[in-house]
Amino acid sequence: MKNLLITLSILVFCFSSCKKDIKTETENIKVTDSSTTKEPVAEQPLDSAAQMKAWIAYATPGSPHKMMADETGTWNCDMTFWAEANAKPEKASSTAIIKMILGGRYQESSYSGTMMGQPFEGKSTLAYNNASKEFTTTFIDNMGTGILVATGKYDEKSKSTEFKGEMVNPLNGKKTPYREIYTIVDATTRKMEMFDVKNGAEYKSMEIIMKKK
């Protein structure tokens, strides 16, 4: 905790120093009576105690991080792929090893298996941002050279998070949107569904059923 407070103190100091160099932009606000103008209200800087409290809240893992930590362990993944809408499904399997890193603030998953007859490796990270109240996921693998990044919010009613992001189509180099739904089915089962866009229409491109060992 001491090291955390020291780090936070440094961050607060840097934050305070940066704010001193930022000039507040002003603009006049027009009202019905053109002879009257309203002075803009400048943002009030936080005092050092409030800044420290905000940084501690931002850096402290909470219940979403506990939910992420509950997935620590080894998972068997049954993977199904579709090249396009109504295409014949392709099957693959992998194993995911999930752990929490950096003091329980982030989740890291390492995947290994086979895909299209080739060895498959992948890594993903999951973060919950205490400030923005949303999840961010990233994914990289040995089947390409890009990184997928998507953000979304958890829905308690459906026990799922809908992520939205963009990916680059290797056939034309253009960015296309994709959507992912991650569902907590039960204590030992997770479902991940991915949706891509082809010819202007969304279709389900992948489904992974994860079972905890």
Side-chain angles (χ1 to χ4, degrees), residues 69 82-83 91 100 115 123 141 143 163 182 194:
W82 293 267
K91 302 289 291 186
M100 298 298 289
M115 186 180 298
K123 283 188 176 292
D141 60 34
M143 309 297 283
F163 293 96
Y182 187 82
M194 186 170 176

Side-chain angles (χ1 to χ4, degrees), residues 49-146:
Q51 291 183 36
M52 178 65 76
K53 183 178 180 181
W55 276 106
I56 290 176
Y58 177 64
T60 303
S63 55
H65 301 89
K66 171 62 170 59
M67 184 170 66
M68 292 156 59
D70 288 341
E71 296 183 338
T72 298
T74 302
W75 298 71
N76 289 325
C77 304
D78 180 20
M79 309 164 72
T80 306
F81 302 89
W82 293 267
E84 58 185 19
N86 302 315
K88 180 181 177 181
E90 300 288 338
K91 302 289 291 186
S93 61
S94 65
T95 299
I97 298 176
I98 299 177
K99 63 180 180 179
M100 298 298 289
I101 60 173
L102 300 180
R105 292 175 177 81
Y106 306 92
Q107 184 193 86
E108 180 183 80
S109 303
S110 298
Y111 295 84
S112 61
T114 57
M115 186 180 298
M116 296 181 290
Q118 300 295 321
F120 168 75
E121 293 180 81
K123 283 188 176 292
S124 71
T125 58
L126 180 65
Y128 179 80
N129 190 313
N130 286 336
S132 65
K133 310 298 182 186
E134 65 183 0
F135 285 94
T136 300
T137 180
T138 69
F139 188 79
I140 56 175
D141 60 34
N142 65 335
M143 309 297 283
T145 54

